[in-house]
Amino acid sequence: MRQHPRLTVSAALAAVTASLLVGCGSDAEPSATASSGVVTLRVGVFPIANLAPLYVGMEQGFFEEEGLSIEPVEQGGGAQVITALSAGEVDVGWSSTPGTIIAAAQGLPIKIVAPGTVGPDSADAMTGQPMVVAGDSPIQSIEDLAGKKIAVNTVGNILEVTISAALENAGVDPGSVEFVEIPPPDQPAALATGNVDVISASEPFYTQVTSSGAGRAIFDAFYAAAPSLPTGHWISTDPYASENEDVLARFNRAITQANEFSNSNPDEARAAIPTFTQIPPEIVDRIGLSTWSDDIDVSGLETVQTLTRTYGPPDLEEVDLTSLVLQ
């Protein structure tokens, strides 16, 4: 069961398919400083902690070493990033893995150009997508969720896909639950009032709710769907990639270096997060950080595609994942 009070991810992506197919090649050349040869790369971002390595890389000079100047261009979310790509307003942007696969299956000419985040490899990590019930809830585990209401930030996206897969893995019919679309800042209140039984508590709300005793985690949806699941990455368009392979190769090297540095230096990642989000520093010190990848895992993408075609929008075409990744 689903509630659809707003446009789903698949519908939002479909709305920009035509413009991407006909319009994204017109502004494919990156801007550069003639005297220095430095390329300015416009990067579509939104304020989530997963994007910390981009800002760490800027601070550490990794992009500068590759002759790149990064210009973050803030968007409202992954669907808005794709819209900005279609309009030629950004050259690269962040996307969830199911969102990318859905977009590609709907005919959007996009490429995965650099690695991003992977889900936890341990059931106890709770660094992917923790699922939280009220502190006094009788719900003890995923097996208790049949017939319950689950809050997600957007229906039809990575949360619905992974939660559905996790439920099936646990022997619970995904069709027995009701997904309710609620913005993350409003989810703790919905849990407290009993409007929903479970929330998909992203940071900083997970730390705030669980540390106060108002909620407790029962499982991590990403891990329960599949351990070490590739959950997000950086994308561009086919036309931009075909004309700027060297620029994107340099971006890939710099962001991979930033990912590795952020994993090894979590304090640096934490220091970056308040500079581009509204998460207070005192909360940042306590939140769980994602794991950032040093490569694009095609076998992991195959797992995500299987889950997305099973639990995402109906009748999705199969995507050639090798072609989807910029070589």
Side-chain angles (χ1 to χ4, degrees), residues 214-302:
R216 52 183 169 80
I218 56 171
F219 70 100
D220 187 292
F222 292 168
Y223 175 80
S228 302
L229 199 68
T231 53
H233 44 244
W234 298 96
I235 64 171
S236 187
T237 63
D238 282 345
Y240 185 89
S242 65
E243 297 187 25
N244 298 282
E245 287 188 16
D246 178 65
V247 172
L248 293 177
R250 287 146 61 188
F251 177 79
N252 182 302
R253 288 194 296 269
I255 201 69
T256 299
Q257 186 178 7
N259 286 353
E260 294 171 339
F261 183 89
S262 297
N263 285 333
S264 301
N265 300 273
D267 287 347
E268 298 289 344
R270 291 182 190 279
I273 291 169
T275 69
F276 66 95
T277 74
Q278 296 183 344
I279 304 177
E282 62 272 17
I283 297 295
V284 169
D285 289 342
R286 293 186 284 141
I287 66 173
L289 294 177
S290 296
T291 299
W292 292 285
S293 180
D294 60 2
D295 66 358
I296 300 170
D297 176 14
V298 175
S299 65
L301 293 178
E302 291 172 353

Side-chain angles (χ1 to χ4, degrees), residues 28-213:
E29 287 296 326
S31 58
T33 303
S35 59
S36 66
V38 174
V39 174
T40 298
L41 201 60
R42 301 165 302 169
V43 181
V45 299
F46 40 101
I48 59 172
N50 286 349
L51 274 59
L54 180 75
Y55 298 86
V56 170
M58 293 165 63
E59 178 68 22
Q60 296 296 319
F62 299 150
F63 295 103
E64 184 178 2
E65 291 170 5
E66 293 287 351
L68 298 176
S69 173
I70 300 299
E71 179 186 333
V73 182
E74 189 159 333
Q75 308 294 320
Q80 288 77 16
V81 166
I82 291 177
T83 300
L85 282 167
S86 75
E89 296 169 357
V90 298
D91 308 308
V92 175
W94 179 266
S95 175
S96 75
T97 309
T100 296
I101 289 172
I102 292 169
Q106 293 177 339
L108 291 145
I110 57 177
K111 289 283 189 188
I112 298 174
V113 300
T117 50
V118 294
D121 60 4
S122 164
D124 299 326
M126 298 296 170
T127 56
Q129 182 51 70
M131 304 303 297
V132 174
V133 298
D136 59 357
S137 171
I139 298 171
Q140 297 300 317
S141 70
I142 188 173
E143 288 83 1
D144 299 327
L145 293 186
K148 305 303 183 185
K149 293 183 178 181
I150 302 176
V152 294
N153 63 340
T154 307
V155 294
N157 75 347
I158 186 171
L159 294 182
E160 186 170 346
V161 167
T162 53
I163 294 167
S164 296
L167 289 167
E168 184 119 32
N169 289 344
V172 179
D173 178 9
S176 71
V177 305
E178 181 178 348
F179 291 102
V180 183
E181 189 171 294
I182 302 175
D186 299 332
Q187 290 189 20
L191 185 66
T193 58
N195 288 340
V196 295
D197 302 292
V198 191
I199 62 173
S200 49
S202 58
E203 295 288 10
F205 311 109
Y206 170 71
T207 294
Q208 292 171 333
V209 170
T210 56
S211 63
S212 70

